Structures are given as structure tokens and as C-alpha cells.
Amino acid sequence: MADRGFDLEEQLTSQAGADRRYSLAPTDRIDSRGYVSEPPRGGLPVLEADELLVFGSNNYLGLTANQRVQNAARQAAATVGTGSGGSRIATGDTMVHHDLERLLAETFETDRALAFSSGYAANVGTITALDPDVVFVDEYTHVSAFDGCRLSGTEVVPYGHCDPDALREAVDDALERRAIGEVTADVDANTVADVDTDTKADADADTVADANAEPDDESWLVVTDSVFSQDGWVAPLEELCDVADSVGAWVMVDESHATGLYVRGGGIVQAEGLVDRVDVQMGALSTALASQGGYVAGDDALIEWLAARAPPFVESTGLTPMAAAAASEALHLSKHGDHRESLWENVTRLRDGLLTMGYEVDGDSQILPVYVETRDMARALADDLRDRGVIVSAPVRPNSGGHASRNAVREGYVYALPTAAHTRDDLVACLEAFRDAGESLDIL
């Protein structure tokens, strides 16, 4: 009998050889430090004896352990329930969800907002619901945007990373291709009109209708992250908006790694005063806001459309009340507390310390990619740092969306991710570990 199943063991072996096999290593808590277990692979996790400093988490404001955020989650569980029990268009909608969405809309200066079960779901759901004809997307943009494009069947046009000129070139190329198509369509239409055979005319009726379609009727969308998780750079949003405006395209910005970190708890869109030029703001509740889920913020028509037409929203159980309440409180603290200031102080100290040692540090955000020569060297550095009591993030994916990427060439790097919860002693310990590991591995 033919075996039409899946040889997963062979594929896993291949993935391990390509440095793409993941391991699950649980920790006792999500905080600036913790005890970690080796991957249990289905067994009972056993925590190691030594507590480790965590410089590899997206918990940027350090709010996962904040008492007020935890109390908000407890209160929501006690008064509303532990889960939503269904899609929000059925029975899973609660006051807690609307409290969160009101605060998100206020923060991002939009008419309304809509909470999704994850940032991934928000990205995929928005693109599939909008169903654009063409999406111009930064090559470093999160894989969820590319997956949304694949599901919608749109034409995808990647452009060079953080490069408005590359976007302009991609847009001009699309316009040129459509202009050529119009000329060809006119010739084809005239040819068909000159044919006397009724059968031929009937057969080509649909072709003529398509040929007469106006390219100006197409919907175009420019998609970019604001802060890129791969290299820590901030997108030149104003210049990208200039290009989009010149051809009447919408702009969609993923603020997952900026939400809560900039002016009044907003992101780069708010910091650069671009609210009126960005049509779709989306992001995650699982980074600085210490919870889980995602959101989209925009005008009333956009939110109404997504609530009715975004499959990940319509067909999924609503965000848990606990997650919604925790995110609301975290967003409040990001607006009114001193957590943002603490984070940026720690970012500056850690970046300056690494540069002073001689490391090459990229980006202009809280994400600090530390470059070394090779991927093998990056793994060795991450392992050595762990042995010295510091966890950093060592990426195992060559790139984010299966597309061209500078990190596919410069693939040797680890991420150092400071949070607002790290103390000055934590930063000193981290820098000492980097110094000792760098000297031990002949990096410095």
C-alpha cells in the first residue's frame, strides 16, 4: 500500500541541519530574571539551580510582573470569567473588551479599535478582509503580513528594507506595467470588435470586459513595520507615506514593537505626527503591554468592516477578559507611569556599553542586534552568555518571510533586549558577561 502520510522525522532532521528546529525551554516566570528548564520534550520540566538574567524578552516595559496589571487580570477573571466562551459576534463580547478598545482608540487617535486574539491574527485578518489588488511590503515586514497576502491572493511586491526610493521604484514599475497593459488591452479590444463571427465575439466577451477595466480602480496597500524586530531599525514612515499618497494608496503600519513605548503610550505613528496619513494602525498586546492578543485601530468604517469580514476575528473565540484587562492596565501605565523613561535609559546604557567594548550594534530602537561574523559564532556567543548567567535571543530563522533579507547575508547576530525592569546592577552583569564571552571567543 502506498504511504501518503508525512515523513516528519526526516523533515525534522533536515530542519535541524538547516538551523531551523525550535526547542521549548520553559521558565518559572516571565520577568527580567528567572529559572529555566532544559527542553523537556514531553517530559516533566526540571528547573536549573541557577537564576538567569533575561535579556531576550519582548516584555519591554517589564509589566508582566507588575502588581496592578496582575490585579486587573485577577479582577476580570473573578467578575467576567476566565474565557470568552465564543466569538465576539456571538456571545463572547464583554465590557472589558470595549474598555480596552476605547483606550486603544484614544491612544492611537482613531475613531475606534478592534482587539484580536493575536497580533498575527490582526495582520492576517486585516489584509484578507481588505483584499487589496496589490500590496507593497517592506521585505523585513513580519511574516504574518506575507501570510495575509497569500491568503487574499493579492499581488505582492516586496521593496527594499526601510527604503522609500525602493518603494517609489516598485510603485513606478507597477504603474508602467499597467500602462503597457492598457495599451495591449485597447489593441485586443479593437481586434475583437473587428471580428464578425458571433461565436468569436461571445467567447471573447469576458476578455474585453477585463481589458476595459480601469487600473485606477485597483486598491493598493503599502505595508510596513514601524520598528523592525529583525534589525531594530525604525521605518521612515513620513517618506513612505509621501510615496503612498502620490498614487492614492493606503498605508498600514505594524506597531507591535513600538506600541506603548513612545509619546503618551503610542507608537511611531504618534511620535511622528502621522495619524492622519496612516490608514491602518495595528499591533500586538503581547510585547510592551504584557498581555496577549493584537489590535487594529482606524476609522469607524474600517473597524465595522473588519468585525464583519476578518476571518480570524469572526471565526475565533474572543480575547480572554483577563488578557483584555491586563492590556488595558498596562497601556494606562505606559501612558502615565515612568516605565518608558526607565526602558530608554536602560537601552542607552546597554548600547553604549556594548559599543565601547567593540561590539557592532545595529538599529535605532530598544531592539539591539549585536553582530558577529557567522551564525555559528552567534550560537556560540549565546551559549557562552547563558553559561555566564545571561539569556539573549539568538534567531534561528534566516529571514522573516521567505524573501530577500540583509540578515540572510549578515546572519551572525544575537539580540540584546533590555527592559524597564532591569536594574543598573542587571545591566552591569549583562555587560560583564558580554565582555568575558567576547574575549573567550576571540570576538573582542
Side-chain angles (χ1 to χ4, degrees):
M1 174 187 286
D3 182 359
R4 294 186 173 87
F6 304 89
D7 190 350
L8 297 183
E9 289 295 336
E10 181 179 344
Q11 293 186 49
L12 284 169
T13 300
S14 173
Q15 291 289 291
D19 195 23
R20 288 176 62 87
R21 184 165 180 172
Y22 298 81
S23 294
L24 301 177
T27 183
D28 69 320
R29 63 189 185 275
I30 305 300
D31 203 352
S32 58
R33 57 179 63 234
Y35 295 93
V36 180
S37 168
E38 287 296 319
R41 301 196 183 281
L44 183 67
V46 178
L47 297 175
E48 297 176 356
D50 296 326
E51 190 177 49
L52 304 177
L53 280 171
V54 180
F55 278 85
S57 170
N58 295 335
N59 180 30
Y60 300 127
L61 296 180
L63 294 176
T64 55
N66 182 275
Q67 195 65 48
R68 287 179 56 174
V69 174
Q70 292 182 354
N71 285 342
R74 292 189 188 98
Q75 184 67 24
T79 58
V80 182
T82 58
S84 294
S87 170
R88 286 183 59 195
I89 66 170
T91 58
D93 197 24
T94 72
M95 297 293 289
V96 181
H97 293 99
H98 288 267
D99 286 343
L100 169 62
E101 289 164 350
R102 177 189 53 78
L103 186 57
L104 288 168
E106 174 187 294
T107 301
F108 302 118
E109 303 174 75
T110 59
D111 294 343
R112 291 172 61 185
L114 192 67
F116 284 74
S117 58
S118 70
Y120 188 102
N123 231 344
V124 170
T126 300
I127 294 174
T128 54
L130 290 176
D131 193 22
D133 292 298
V134 186
V135 176
F136 301 90
V137 57
D138 187 296
E139 62 179 356
Y140 270 32
T141 298
H142 192 268
V143 67
S144 56
F146 285 87
D147 285 350
C149 292
R150 293 186 186 103
L151 286 172
S152 67
T154 185
E155 178 185 348
V156 183
V157 183
Y159 64 87
H161 179 47
C162 283
D163 188 347
D165 291 335
L167 174 60
R168 166 58 68 188
E169 183 177 344
V171 166
D172 288 345
D173 181 66
L175 290 171
E176 181 178 352
R177 284 187 282 110
R178 279 151 179 77
I180 294 172
E182 283 186 298
V183 172
T184 303
D186 288 342
V187 171
D188 290 344
N190 291 332
T191 299
V192 173
D194 291 338
V195 175
D196 295 330
T197 305
D198 291 340
T199 303
K200 175 64 175 177
D202 291 341
D204 285 342
D206 292 338
T207 302
V208 175
D210 291 341
N212 290 330
E214 291 292 335
D216 288 346
D217 291 339
E218 290 186 329
S219 55
W220 286 14
L221 182 66
V222 175
V223 177
T224 181
D225 291 3
S226 58
V227 174
F228 287 87
S229 61
Q230 270 203 319
D231 64 0
W233 286 106
V234 174
L237 292 185
E238 184 172 6
E239 291 87 346
L240 297 175
C241 287
D242 289 342
V243 178
D245 288 347
S246 71
V247 292
W250 273 26
V251 177
M252 175 174 167
V253 177
D254 183 344
E255 295 262 43
S256 291
H257 294 276
T259 297
L261 303 185
Y262 292 87
V263 57
R264 294 183 296 279
I268 299 296
V269 172
Q270 284 67 47
E272 297 187 357
L274 297 173
V275 172
D276 292 336
R277 304 185 66 188
V278 174
D279 303 275
V280 185
Q281 299 180 58
M282 62 80 52
L285 307 175
S286 54
T287 52
L289 300 189
S291 185
Q292 188 163 356
Y295 68 86
V296 176
D299 64 24
D300 183 75
L302 172 67
I303 301 307
E304 284 290 319
W305 184 256
L306 295 181
R309 298 296 297 270
F313 180 83
V314 175
E315 303 295 340
S316 295
T317 297
L319 190 68
T320 70
M322 293 182 295
S328 291
E329 186 60 31
L331 185 54
H332 177 81
L333 290 172
S334 76
K335 294 160 72 77
H336 303 292
D338 60 359
H339 304 280
R340 285 186 289 118
E341 290 77 8
S342 297
L343 169 65
W344 293 115
E345 288 174 3
N346 286 345
V347 169
T348 299
R349 291 192 183 102
L350 187 57
R351 179 191 293 276
D352 289 349
L354 291 168
L355 289 171
T356 299
M357 287 179 198
Y359 281 105
E360 182 181 358
V361 183
D362 211 352
D364 56 356
S365 68
Q366 78 283 0
I367 298 170
L368 305 179
V370 181
Y371 286 104
V372 293
E373 291 183 359
T374 65
R375 183 174 291 273
D376 288 342
M377 182 61 72
R379 284 198 303 267
L381 176 58
D383 291 343
D384 197 311
L385 288 168
R386 182 182 173 116
D387 291 342
R388 299 176 192 278
V390 175
I391 295 177
V392 295
S393 178
V396 297
R397 292 178 300 179
N399 51 58
S400 65
H403 43 279
S405 161
R406 184 179 65 179
N407 283 348
V409 178
R410 297 192 61 192
E411 58 184 14
Y413 62 107
V414 299
Y415 294 127
L417 303 176
T419 74
H422 285 121
T423 66
R424 190 163 296 194
D425 287 344
D426 293 338
L427 296 173
V428 170
C430 180
L431 288 169
E432 289 177 345
F434 264 100
R435 180 197 62 204
D436 295 343
E439 292 174 351
S440 174
L441 297 170
D442 292 327
I443 297 173
L444 299 179

